[in-house]
PDB file of all heavy atoms in Angstrom:
ATOM      1  N   VAL A  49       8.121  46.077  78.251  1.00 98.00           N
ATOM      2  CA  VAL A  49       7.523  45.829  76.946  1.00 98.00           C
ATOM      3  C   VAL A  49       8.036  46.989  76.053  1.00 98.00           C
ATOM      4  O   VAL A  49       7.908  48.149  76.432  1.00 98.00           O
ATOM      5  CB  VAL A  49       5.995  45.857  76.994  1.00 98.00           C
ATOM      6  CG1 VAL A  49       5.397  45.499  75.592  1.00 98.00           C
ATOM      7  CG2 VAL A  49       5.490  44.838  78.044  1.00 98.00           C
ATOM      8  N   ARG A  50       8.626  46.567  74.940  1.00 98.00           N
ATOM      9  CA  ARG A  50       9.273  47.636  74.109  1.00 98.00           C
ATOM     10  C   ARG A  50       8.630  47.580  72.682  1.00 98.00           C
ATOM     11  O   ARG A  50       8.264  46.513  72.219  1.00 98.00           O
ATOM     12  CB  ARG A  50      10.771  47.363  73.946  1.00 98.00           C
ATOM     13  CG  ARG A  50      11.581  47.588  75.214  1.00 98.00           C
ATOM     14  CD  ARG A  50      12.972  47.073  75.071  1.00 98.00           C
ATOM     15  NE  ARG A  50      13.849  47.328  76.205  1.00 98.00           N
ATOM     16  CZ  ARG A  50      13.919  46.608  77.296  1.00 98.00           C
ATOM     17  NH1 ARG A  50      13.103  45.552  77.386  1.00 98.00           N
ATOM     18  NH2 ARG A  50      14.724  46.922  78.287  1.00 98.00           N
ATOM     19  N   CYS A  51       8.695  48.736  72.028  1.00 98.00           N
ATOM     20  CA  CYS A  51       8.209  48.826  70.706  1.00 98.00           C
ATOM     21  C   CYS A  51       9.232  49.475  69.758  1.00 98.00           C
ATOM     22  O   CYS A  51       9.898  50.423  70.151  1.00 98.00           O
ATOM     23  CB  CYS A  51       6.902  49.642  70.612  1.00 98.00           C
ATOM     24  SG  CYS A  51       6.251  49.927  68.940  1.00 98.00           S
ATOM     25  N   TRP A  52       9.436  48.848  68.616  1.00 98.00           N
ATOM     26  CA  TRP A  52      10.344  49.412  67.568  1.00 98.00           C
ATOM     27  C   TRP A  52       9.463  49.652  66.272  1.00 98.00           C
ATOM     28  O   TRP A  52       8.582  48.816  65.993  1.00 98.00           O
ATOM     29  CB  TRP A  52      11.415  48.455  67.225  1.00 98.00           C
ATOM     30  CG  TRP A  52      12.453  48.188  68.232  1.00 98.00           C
ATOM     31  CD1 TRP A  52      13.655  48.743  68.391  1.00 98.00           C
ATOM     32  CD2 TRP A  52      12.283  47.203  69.301  1.00 98.00           C
ATOM     33  NE1 TRP A  52      14.300  48.194  69.495  1.00 98.00           N
ATOM     34  CE2 TRP A  52      13.503  47.227  70.041  1.00 98.00           C
ATOM     35  CE3 TRP A  52      11.301  46.297  69.611  1.00 98.00           C
ATOM     36  CZ2 TRP A  52      13.725  46.439  71.150  1.00 98.00           C
ATOM     37  CZ3 TRP A  52      11.505  45.459  70.746  1.00 98.00           C
ATOM     38  CH2 TRP A  52      12.691  45.536  71.470  1.00 98.00           C
ATOM     39  N   THR A  64      13.809  51.378  64.744  1.00 98.00           N
ATOM     40  CA  THR A  64      13.874  52.612  65.567  1.00 98.00           C
ATOM     41  C   THR A  64      13.109  52.339  66.850  1.00 98.00           C
ATOM     42  O   THR A  64      11.893  52.119  66.793  1.00 98.00           O
ATOM     43  CB  THR A  64      13.256  53.803  64.830  1.00 98.00           C
ATOM     44  OG1 THR A  64      13.813  53.921  63.531  1.00 98.00           O
ATOM     45  CG2 THR A  64      13.486  55.136  65.601  1.00 98.00           C
ATOM     46  N   PRO A  65      13.786  52.365  68.014  1.00 98.00           N
ATOM     47  CA  PRO A  65      13.028  52.207  69.288  1.00 98.00           C
ATOM     48  C   PRO A  65      12.079  53.354  69.408  1.00 98.00           C
ATOM     49  O   PRO A  65      12.451  54.571  69.304  1.00 98.00           O
ATOM     50  CB  PRO A  65      14.069  52.295  70.324  1.00 98.00           C
ATOM     51  CG  PRO A  65      15.389  51.957  69.639  1.00 98.00           C
ATOM     52  CD  PRO A  65      15.229  52.478  68.257  1.00 98.00           C
ATOM     53  N   LYS A  66      10.743  53.050  69.720  1.00 97.00           N
ATOM     54  CA  LYS A  66       9.750  54.060  69.753  1.00 97.00           C
ATOM     55  C   LYS A  66       9.328  54.327  71.204  1.00 97.00           C
ATOM     56  O   LYS A  66       9.071  55.522  71.518  1.00 97.00           O
ATOM     57  CB  LYS A  66       8.532  53.664  68.983  1.00 97.00           C
ATOM     58  CG  LYS A  66       8.783  53.516  67.441  1.00 97.00           C
ATOM     59  CD  LYS A  66       9.299  54.761  66.810  1.00 97.00           C
ATOM     60  CE  LYS A  66       8.214  55.692  66.327  1.00 97.00           C
ATOM     61  NZ  LYS A  66       8.738  56.802  65.584  1.00 97.00           N
ATOM     62  N   ALA A  67       9.072  53.316  71.974  1.00 97.00           N
ATOM     63  CA  ALA A  67       8.461  53.551  73.286  1.00 97.00           C
ATOM     64  C   ALA A  67       8.634  52.258  74.114  1.00 97.00           C
ATOM     65  O   ALA A  67       8.910  51.211  73.510  1.00 97.00           O
ATOM     66  CB  ALA A  67       7.081  53.944  73.186  1.00 97.00           C
ATOM     67  N   SER A  68       8.415  52.339  75.466  1.00 98.00           N
ATOM     68  CA  SER A  68       8.426  51.218  76.324  1.00 98.00           C
ATOM     69  C   SER A  68       7.578  51.446  77.534  1.00 98.00           C
ATOM     70  O   SER A  68       7.356  52.609  77.859  1.00 98.00           O
ATOM     71  CB  SER A  68       9.848  50.783  76.707  1.00 98.00           C
ATOM     72  OG  SER A  68      10.425  51.748  77.503  1.00 98.00           O
ATOM     73  N   ILE A  69       7.125  50.353  78.187  1.00 98.00           N
ATOM     74  CA  ILE A  69       6.434  50.421  79.435  1.00 98.00           C
ATOM     75  C   ILE A  69       6.974  49.371  80.350  1.00 98.00           C
ATOM     76  O   ILE A  69       7.647  48.444  79.936  1.00 98.00           O
ATOM     77  CB  ILE A  69       4.879  50.293  79.316  1.00 98.00           C
ATOM     78  CG1 ILE A  69       4.548  48.891  78.713  1.00 98.00           C
ATOM     79  CG2 ILE A  69       4.269  51.372  78.480  1.00 98.00           C
ATOM     80  CD1 ILE A  69       3.093  48.438  79.031  1.00 98.00           C
ATOM     81  N   TRP A  99      -1.976  49.168  76.707  1.00 98.00           N
ATOM     82  CA  TRP A  99      -1.116  50.252  76.444  1.00 98.00           C
ATOM     83  C   TRP A  99      -1.585  50.947  75.080  1.00 98.00           C
ATOM     84  O   TRP A  99      -1.374  50.349  74.033  1.00 98.00           O
ATOM     85  CB  TRP A  99       0.309  49.773  76.315  1.00 98.00           C
ATOM     86  CG  TRP A  99       1.335  50.780  75.985  1.00 98.00           C
ATOM     87  CD1 TRP A  99       1.300  52.113  76.101  1.00 98.00           C
ATOM     88  CD2 TRP A  99       2.680  50.416  75.446  1.00 98.00           C
ATOM     89  NE1 TRP A  99       2.457  52.678  75.711  1.00 98.00           N
ATOM     90  CE2 TRP A  99       3.344  51.689  75.256  1.00 98.00           C
ATOM     91  CE3 TRP A  99       3.309  49.265  75.083  1.00 98.00           C
ATOM     92  CZ2 TRP A  99       4.632  51.761  74.809  1.00 98.00           C
ATOM     93  CZ3 TRP A  99       4.614  49.373  74.555  1.00 98.00           C
ATOM     94  CH2 TRP A  99       5.236  50.578  74.439  1.00 98.00           C
ATOM     95  N   LEU A 101      -0.660  52.639  72.713  1.00 96.00           N
ATOM     96  CA  LEU A 101       0.653  53.001  72.205  1.00 96.00           C
ATOM     97  C   LEU A 101       0.604  54.186  71.130  1.00 96.00           C
ATOM     98  O   LEU A 101       1.326  55.109  71.223  1.00 96.00           O
ATOM     99  CB  LEU A 101       1.315  51.759  71.583  1.00 96.00           C
ATOM    100  CG  LEU A 101       2.686  51.896  71.029  1.00 96.00           C
ATOM    101  CD1 LEU A 101       3.667  51.274  72.017  1.00 96.00           C
ATOM    102  CD2 LEU A 101       2.762  51.155  69.692  1.00 96.00           C
TER     103      LEU A 101
END
Side-chain angles (χ1 to χ4, degrees):
V49 183
R50 293 171 175 81
C51 177
W52 295 261
T64 309
K66 297 300 276 187
S68 66
I69 61 163
W99 179 19
L101 181 105

